[in-house]
Structure formats: C-alpha cells, structure tokens
Amino acid sequence: MPLVTTEKMLMDAQKEGYAVGAFNVENLEMVQAVVGAAEELKSPVILQTSAKTVQYANFSYFYSLVKAAADEVSVPIALHLDHGNSFELAMQALRVGYTSIMIDGSHESFEENISLSKKVVDACAPSRISVEAELGKVGGKEDDIDGGDGGLTEPLDAKEFVERTNVTSLAVAIGTLHGIYKGVPKLDLERLSEIRKVVNVPLVLHGGSGLSEESIKECIKRGICKVNYATELRIAFTEGVKQALAETPNIIDPKKFTTVGREKVKQMAIQKIKICGSVGKAKVAAL
C-alpha cells in the first residue's frame, strides 16, 4: 500500500494503548527485514533514516527503497526523518516524499526550539506531513547525535511547546539514552505520566535499544506511542554478517552474507513489534 503519515498511526496507538515501532534502516536488507516483520505480524511500522544515514546515500535512495517495499505489502508503512538537524534538511525530506519529519531543536533554547519547530510544521502543513519535535535532551551519543548527559522534559514546558508549535508528536526526555547503555537506565516514569496529563499529542521514546521489555511496556502504559530502535538493529545485522563470514570464509557473494544479517534484523524487529503491542493493528491504522 502507499506510504502513510504517522499522525493517524500514532493517534490510533494512543487511543488503543499500544506503540508503533520506529526502526532506523541503513540499507536494502534492513528495509526488507523490517517491512517483512511488519507484514508477517500485520503491524503498522515506521522506517526512519538519520541525518547521518542520508549523508551516506541520499533521501532519494532511501525513499525509493522504502516505497518499493511498502508497495508490496498490505500494512501501513511511514517513512520518517529521524533527528533532522536543520530546516533545510527537513525540507529536503519533504520534497523527496518522506511522510513524517522530525525536527530536533532540543540543543537550542526553548524559544529557538519553538521557532524552528513551528517553521517546519508550517512548511509541512500544506502537504499534511506529520512533524515530530523534541523537548529536553535525550542523552548519549549515536551517529552525530550527542545529547551529553541529557536534560529531562518539564511537563508544563511540554504543554506550552505543543500548543505553540502544533507538532503532531513529541519526543520526551525521561532518562533514556542514544546508543549503548552502560548499566541499567533510571527512567523517570512519574515525569512521563505528568507529561501525558497535560500534552494531548502522541509521545515518543528515543533510545529504545537496550531497554528491558518491562520498561518499554510501562512507558507505553504511561503514554508512549512510538518507540525508536536503532543500535540493536545495527548490532543484529553486523552479527549476522560476521557469523556468515566466520562459517564460510570463502564467501565472495555479498547476497549470501547480507541475507544472514537481514534475517537477524527481521527477528529483532519481530521481537520489538511484539513488545510494542502493535501485532494485528495494521487494519486499524490503515482505516
């Protein structure tokens, strides 16, 4: 089916108490793996590319890959720019055909973040393209994203931010990190519940890789509607390739070792979709 935006997809998730998995993809095999997992489980899914990933190739390559995959399946697929770091980059994604865009002004002041986010919302409004923003700083480092030690989202600031920008979803900082966790993260779940009380748009959890199943489910229970995964998919793909090369050192056909990486990513995506609780929700999200 055609690519869809994330606004209705996430509002449906908010209404029914589940989340949609958002998976960072970096090549053909990862796109195939995530879409294959979604189709198998009849789940809506979001495929996303970071600013660093589109520097490696470009928006057109990834749009074409994801559109081709979406056209072959019956489940809702959205293509999202993850951590767009400038208005110009967001507009590149919009022009190419991305159906959801994140503008990350969280490293700016509160007022500058509002101004940048609203500018992107206004530019995307005629095309009815969803816009995600971030308030607070999700810590850790992944690609060019460096949130340092982070900075938690204040509930009343979140309320004002959403009202003034009209974003369709909001990424919040409650103690998660980008990249690989060192030890067990301490999530401020009460803060999440307070944000949910005063913010009516779907909330997004960045740094999903490495969180326990119990933690993610509790976050969903308290209002998270979109969970981002990147690092664990990279690890899965790399481990699959390494395994194939170790077992058959004389392989020279890339298809033979990337196939193993693809299957590892698919199984990882299946696991995360089940944790998010979106199995069988494709029909709901497509209506």
Side-chain angles (χ1 to χ4, degrees):
M1 63 184 297
L3 292 171
V4 301
T5 70
T6 55
E7 184 171 9
K8 183 179 185 303
M9 185 186 284
L10 297 183
M11 288 301 291
D12 289 338
Q14 179 172 280
K15 187 186 306 180
E16 296 204 9
Y18 63 90
V20 178
F23 301 94
N24 283 57
V25 292
E26 308 196 40
N27 55 26
L28 166 66
E29 289 77 18
M30 294 177 81
V31 170
Q32 292 173 321
V34 174
V35 172
E39 177 75 351
E40 184 173 316
L41 297 180
K42 299 304 174 189
S43 170
V45 74
I46 300 165
L47 276 67
Q48 50 190 36
T49 57
S50 67
K52 190 75 169 180
T53 299
V54 293
Q55 285 176 15
Y56 174 74
N58 61 49
F59 284 111
S60 295
Y61 273 110
F62 285 103
Y63 173 79
S64 297
L65 285 174
V66 175
K67 183 180 183 302
D71 285 344
E72 296 296 319
V73 296
S74 60
V75 297
I77 307 287
L79 177 57
H80 177 76
L81 171 63
D82 186 30
H83 286 284
N85 53 20
S86 69
F87 177 80
E88 291 73 22
L89 193 72
M91 293 305 97
Q92 288 179 44
L94 175 65
R95 286 192 292 269
V96 166
Y98 274 53
T99 57
S100 181
I101 292 170
M102 180 188 183
I103 181 65
D104 185 359
S106 62
H107 293 274
E108 307 297 333
S109 70
F110 182 67
E111 289 296 331
E112 288 169 338
N113 191 356
I114 286 177
S115 177
L116 175 60
S117 299
K118 188 176 188 310
K119 185 177 179 182
V120 173
V121 169
D122 291 345
C124 291
S127 304
R128 301 183 70 180
I129 296 301
S130 311
V131 177
E132 173 187 329
E134 181 174 317
L135 187 63
K137 294 180 182 178
V138 178
K141 183 172 175 61
E142 182 177 59
D143 281 347
D144 289 335
I145 305 162
D146 189 351
D149 294 328
L152 302 184
T153 306
E154 293 295 334
L156 292 181
D157 286 348
K159 181 178 185 293
E160 179 182 351
F161 185 92
V162 170
E163 290 173 349
R164 291 175 61 186
T165 61
N166 289 319
V167 293
T168 52
S169 61
L170 182 69
V172 294
I174 58 167
T176 56
L177 299 173
H178 293 114
I180 299 173
Y181 287 100
K182 298 176 181 177
V184 180
K186 296 179 180 179
L187 305 185
D188 192 338
L189 296 172
E190 289 304 317
R191 180 181 297 270
L192 175 58
S193 294
E194 290 303 311
I195 296 170
R196 173 74 286 158
K197 288 177 184 177
V198 296
V199 172
N200 58 6
V201 300
L203 301 179
V204 179
L205 186 71
H206 285 238
S209 289
L211 289 182
S212 69
E213 178 175 344
E214 294 74 19
S215 292
I216 290 174
K217 286 183 174 180
E218 185 62 27
C219 287
I220 294 170
K221 181 180 177 182
R222 291 173 183 257
I224 290 296
C225 303
K226 172 177 179 269
V227 182
N228 284 21
Y229 298 101
T231 302
E232 284 180 295
L233 271 67
R234 291 175 171 179
I235 292 171
F237 184 77
T238 303
E239 285 181 347
V241 171
K242 287 180 177 179
Q243 176 187 322
L245 293 174
E247 292 175 353
T248 315
N250 295 326
I251 290 179
I252 61 169
D253 183 349
K255 295 186 293 297
K256 292 184 177 179
F257 54 80
T258 56
T259 295
V260 183
R262 180 177 64 189
E263 183 59 26
K264 292 278 190 182
V265 173
K266 181 180 179 182
Q267 293 308 313
M268 179 65 69
I270 285 174
Q271 175 190 343
K272 301 305 184 185
I273 288 171
K274 289 179 177 178
I275 292 172
C276 286
S278 61
V279 176
K281 300 296 186 181
K283 185 176 181 180
V284 173
L287 295 176

